[in-house]
Amino acid sequence: MREIALYIHVPFCIQKCRYCDFVSYPYLQPESISDYFKVLTQELQIRTENDKLQNVVLKSIYFGGGTPSLVSPEILNDFLLLLRQNFRFSESIEITVEANPGTLNSEKIREFAHLGVNRLSIGIQSFQNRFLSFLGRAYREKEVHNLLTELIDTGLFLNWSFDLMYGLPFQTFSDWKKEMEHLLMYQPPHFSLYNLTLSHQVPLRIFLKKHFALFPGQDWEASIYRWTQQILRKYGYRRYEISNFAKPGYECLHNLTYWRNQEYLGLGVSSSSYLGGIRMRNASTLSHYQKRIKNCQSPVVTKDILNLKQKLAEEMILALRTSEGVETEKLFKTYPESLVQEKLIQLEDFAQSHFIHEREGRWILTSRGTLIANQLFLEILD
């Protein structure tokens, strides 16, 4: 039976964060979300038909954003019912909702759990007000602690995650140590760690250009990353992907689909899909997305059919992000020997520089390699 993952983009936020380059819009009235989910319903019907998805099994559902925790339980319930009518759900299905402090309380947590949501991913970024303010987050430290306390007190979610960000202006080791103390106090089963990365489109990019010296720098970030890995390992966390750590059994099944280069369907504005070896992307503005749906057109505006060399490079890069690494035998079974041999020469070169190592037929990034992973990936793409 064909299994896929499903991603639903909810593009509404209380306010736009200063570092965010995801497609999102101000949440001005409840009708905007209900209207959007009506359009999502239409897209689901179009995509199910166009992409021949009538008989697939969903192994994971991920509501990302934006701020999906702004969605009412009633709307979420209706959409999950619709999905059950169109697809089979795996017995071990993972259903994740991303949430921000200030948009979720104990009552809503209980309602989401009652609907079958079994995983929450909470966007925290920092436990310190001055960093939250700098990033443009719409909540403060007190709301972060309130949400985590309520979540734990309900006892309804064994599987949940939050993320923190490092590499912020004026951030010191002492500041980061405080963040880690809060993390270890709450002991989330899953944790994501990101350094501040600013695209050219975001407001903080201008600040970065003017005040570059205020940012810690790559050497500091590398030392923080290494230190954090060591601390988390002591407390039972395993780094299963470059930016993601989990206690055994709490790895994010949905994200593993991406890193294992498996199929997924993306619904909503700007969402991406990977089906039948084709990468697809929806219209990137809400008006364009809605217009296409209302005209009974697929919202997919770009399709990229990868050749074997591109597929091989992508699969290797995605696999190297994980602790599973690249499996040599699988490559030879899937791709022409000449292409695989060419890439293995690259991996051997990386191994001589101690950026990766081979273990039982798998090529895995070393701790040193994770620090320059993007550079290695660019070489694999060439």
Side-chain angles (χ1 to χ4, degrees):
M1 186 65 70
R2 183 184 180 191
E3 286 193 332
I4 68 169
L6 173 64
Y7 174 83
I8 302 103
H9 189 65
V10 182
F12 300 103
C13 285
I14 292 177
Q15 67 185 40
K16 183 85 168 179
C17 296
R18 298 169 69 200
Y19 63 90
C20 178
D21 65 350
F22 291 124
V23 174
S24 63
Y25 298 87
Y27 174 65
L28 300 176
Q29 62 273 331
E31 291 77 16
S32 58
I33 289 182
S34 59
D35 291 344
Y36 180 73
F37 269 79
K38 290 175 184 176
V39 180
L40 279 176
T41 298
Q42 293 176 269
E43 183 191 358
L44 177 64
Q45 296 168 344
I46 294 170
R47 299 295 300 280
T48 301
E49 182 66 30
N50 288 1
D51 297 302
K52 298 178 174 57
L53 300 173
Q54 291 86 350
N55 297 312
V56 301
V57 175
L58 295 185
K59 58 182 176 182
S60 67
I61 303 171
Y62 194 104
F63 292 90
T67 309
S69 50
L70 289 170
V71 179
S72 70
E74 292 77 19
I75 291 175
L76 192 65
N77 180 54
D78 289 343
F79 196 74
L80 288 171
L81 287 174
L82 179 68
L83 292 177
R84 285 190 177 276
Q85 292 167 7
N86 282 269
F87 306 109
R88 286 178 53 192
F89 281 21
S90 165
E91 290 183 4
S92 57
I93 191 167
E94 176 190 84
I95 304 178
T96 302
V97 171
E98 287 186 349
N100 283 339
T103 65
L104 198 60
N105 55 31
S106 57
E107 180 182 355
K108 204 168 188 179
I109 289 170
R110 289 186 173 88
E111 290 179 300
F112 279 176
H114 180 71
L115 298 179
V117 176
N118 53 20
R119 186 174 184 274
L120 291 177
S121 178
I122 303 169
I124 290 178
Q125 316 307 342
S126 177
F127 285 93
Q128 300 174 63
N129 285 336
R130 62 192 175 102
F131 295 125
L132 292 172
S133 179
F134 173 79
L135 293 170
R137 303 297 280 177
Y139 52 84
R140 292 296 172 261
E141 179 182 345
K142 183 178 179 181
E143 291 171 284
V144 175
H145 290 293
N146 287 344
L147 174 56
L148 295 180
T149 300
E150 289 180 334
L151 173 61
I152 293 170
D153 285 349
T154 65
L156 295 172
F157 282 88
L158 297 177
N159 195 357
W160 57 281
S161 174
F162 68 67
D163 50 27
L164 292 175
M165 187 174 288
Y166 65 103
L168 309 179
F170 295 111
Q171 192 176 42
T172 65
F173 176 75
S174 178
D175 292 323
W176 186 249
K177 190 176 178 182
K178 289 178 184 177
E179 304 283 24
M180 293 304 296
E181 287 170 355
H182 288 304
L183 181 149
L184 296 173
M185 179 174 70
Y186 289 110
Q187 291 276 311
H190 184 285
F191 167 66
S192 299
L193 171 68
Y194 300 111
N195 66 321
L196 179 64
T197 304
L198 302 173
S199 70
H200 292 284
Q201 295 83 13
V202 302
L204 279 182
R205 184 74 181 190
I206 299 173
F207 183 88
L208 172 65
K209 287 182 177 180
K210 291 183 177 180
H211 306 287
F212 185 78
L214 301 181
F215 289 76
Q218 292 184 345
D219 289 343
W220 184 90
E221 290 185 1
S223 65
I224 286 295
Y225 182 78
R226 284 194 296 263
W227 180 82
T228 302
Q229 286 192 79
Q230 293 170 1
I231 294 299
L232 291 176
R233 197 178 300 121
K234 290 179 182 178
Y235 284 84
Y237 290 90
R238 185 179 71 96
R239 180 184 64 78
Y240 73 100
E241 192 271 342
I242 289 177
S243 299
N244 288 274
F245 303 79
K247 293 188 174 180
Y250 289 97
E251 297 82 2
C252 178
L253 298 181
H254 183 84
N255 286 339
L256 281 171
T257 295
Y258 300 146
W259 299 321
R260 289 170 176 166
N261 207 28
Q262 296 169 342
E263 288 190 303
Y264 57 90
L265 169 67
L267 299 179
V269 58
S270 78
S271 290
S272 297
S273 304
Y274 181 54
L275 298 167
I278 302 174
R279 298 210 178 275
M280 295 168 266
R281 189 170 183 86
N282 285 1
S284 59
T285 66
L286 189 56
S287 58
H288 188 196
Y289 168 76
Q290 291 175 326
K291 182 179 179 181
R292 290 184 70 90
I293 298 293
K294 288 175 181 177
N295 289 333
C296 299
Q297 294 178 290
S298 169
V300 173
V301 292
T302 61
K303 288 188 176 183
D304 190 6
I305 302 175
L306 306 179
N307 60 39
L308 283 175
K309 188 173 182 179
Q310 291 171 321
K311 284 183 179 180
L312 171 60
E314 276 202 3
E315 182 159 330
M316 289 177 64
I317 289 169
L318 291 167
L320 279 173
R321 292 192 64 90
T322 73
S323 60
E324 296 174 348
V326 174
E327 184 183 358
T328 306
E329 184 180 350
K330 180 183 177 185
L331 296 185
F332 278 118
K333 286 182 178 179
T334 311
Y335 301 99
E337 183 177 350
S338 59
L339 291 180
V340 176
Q341 291 289 5
E342 181 183 323
K343 292 302 179 185
L344 287 180
I345 292 172
Q346 280 186 310
L347 296 183
E348 288 168 358
D349 288 342
F350 296 159
Q352 288 181 6
S353 300
H354 306 291
F355 295 132
I356 65 174
H357 65 265
E358 185 182 15
R359 183 196 304 155
E360 297 178 353
R362 291 180 179 270
W363 301 85
I364 302 167
L365 285 178
T366 62
S367 294
R368 185 183 181 191
T370 60
L371 300 176
I372 63 159
N374 288 336
Q375 297 173 42
L376 301 178
F377 297 161
L378 286 174
E379 292 189 38
I380 291 173
L381 279 173
D382 285 343

